[in-house]
């Protein structure tokens, strides 16, 4: 289950290119990550300055270099602006599992873009990383992400009470999982 690669993989779907996010994308990342509705359920305060976006991009680079995760920038094929991200974090190689997460600019909600990106990343995880299990931790109020996960076949396994402390409060999270044998049936 090796995550490290010499070059960052690019994923392509019908409408999207998923690619590495670089410091050149900082203003685009700031644009959507400064929206209260976009960050409301991901454990981050809204970004207020470009440095916040640079820090996020630096984290993407760190998890890739350390082999603990990978985060793709979501772009439409006809434009190179990053409109969201999707990827893996918290790899547990000995158990062949990893967590998945995504966020998308509100301008693109309701168009199936998050679903298209999510599916491409899931497929990559099972095919390239030899994963057995992909997990998604989702706040109970985040019904859109629950629907996104369920559309891809994720099963809600239970509620993790006060699982994370973010933005000055404890958050409950639903644990969702997708097993390799249940994907693409």
């Amino acid at each position: 289950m090796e995550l490290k690669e010499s070059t960052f993989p690019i994923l392509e779907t019908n409408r999207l290119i998923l690619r590495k996010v670089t410091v050149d994308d900082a203003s685009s990342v700031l644009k959507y990550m400064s929206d209260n509705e976009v960050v409301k359920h991901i454990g981050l305060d809204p970004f207020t300055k470009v440095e916040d976006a640079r820090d996020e991009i630096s984290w993407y680079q760190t998890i890739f270099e350390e082999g603990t995760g990978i985060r793709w920038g979501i772009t439409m094929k006809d434009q190179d602006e990053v409109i969201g991200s999707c990827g893996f974090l918290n790899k547990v190689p000995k158990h062949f599992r990893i967590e998945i997460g995504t966020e998308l600019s509100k301008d693109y909600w309701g168009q199936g873009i998050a679903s298209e990106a999510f599916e491409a990343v899931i497929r990559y995880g099972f095919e390239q990383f030899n994963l057995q299990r992909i997990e998604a931790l989702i706040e109970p109020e985040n019904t859109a992400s629950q629907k996104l996960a369920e559309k891809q076949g994720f099963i809600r396994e239970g509620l993790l009470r006060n699982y994370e402390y973010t933005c000055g409060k404890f958050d409950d999270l639903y644990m969702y999982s997708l097993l390799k044998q249940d994907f693409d049936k």
Side-chain angles (χ1 to χ4, degrees):
M1 190 175 119
E2 185 62 34
L3 281 185
K4 290 182 97 172
E5 296 185 21
S6 55
T7 59
F8 195 94
I10 296 172
L11 308 182
E12 187 174 336
T13 69
N14 289 340
R15 299 180 291 167
L16 309 175
I17 300 288
L18 281 64
R19 63 164 176 82
K20 182 177 184 175
V21 182
T22 70
V23 291
D24 294 338
D25 299 308
S27 61
S28 297
V29 172
L30 174 61
K31 183 178 171 185
Y32 64 83
M33 292 295 279
S34 63
D35 186 321
N36 286 321
E37 290 188 62
V38 171
V39 300
K40 180 164 54 173
H41 298 296
I42 61 173
L44 295 174
D45 288 317
F47 290 4
T48 58
K49 55 192 181 302
V50 76
E51 193 57 38
D52 296 335
R54 287 190 189 115
D55 289 346
E56 183 78 357
I57 293 165
S58 176
W59 176 69
Y60 296 167
Q61 185 63 31
T62 299
I63 64 171
F64 180 69
E65 288 171 358
E66 292 176 348
T68 59
I70 184 171
R71 197 80 175 189
W72 285 270
I74 302 169
T75 66
M76 301 299 292
K77 277 188 176 177
D78 58 351
Q79 56 191 2
D80 195 39
E81 180 184 3
V82 174
I83 58 171
S85 78
C86 188
F88 296 122
L89 65 155
N90 297 330
K91 173 183 80 163
V92 184
K94 123 181 189 179
H95 297 297
F96 298 87
R97 78 172 179 250
I98 205 161
E99 289 176 35
I100 192 169
T102 190
E103 76 278 329
L104 185 66
S105 168
K106 192 168 56 178
D107 296 340
Y108 295 89
W109 289 4
Q111 301 174 35
I113 291 169
S115 184
E116 197 170 319
F118 213 59
E119 182 176 352
V121 169
I122 291 165
R123 184 172 307 285
Y124 190 88
F126 284 133
E127 292 177 358
Q128 302 301 315
F129 297 158
N130 194 31
L131 297 168
Q132 174 58 28
R133 175 184 170 95
I134 298 175
E135 300 173 342
L137 299 172
I138 304 172
E139 290 184 6
E141 300 80 25
N142 190 351
T143 55
S145 288
Q146 292 172 46
K147 288 176 185 173
L148 173 66
E150 290 166 0
K151 182 178 179 184
Q152 294 298 330
F154 281 75
I155 303 295
R156 183 190 309 170
E157 298 180 329
L159 180 68
L160 304 172
R161 299 180 312 142
N162 285 200
Y163 191 74
E164 285 184 340
Y165 183 79
T166 60
C167 303
K169 64 182 177 27
F170 288 100
D171 293 320
D172 294 341
L173 296 173
Y174 283 133
M175 170 64 80
Y176 278 83
S177 73
L178 179 65
L179 304 183
K180 186 175 193 171
Q181 63 265 31
D182 297 331
F183 182 66
D184 218 16
K185 279 191 171 179

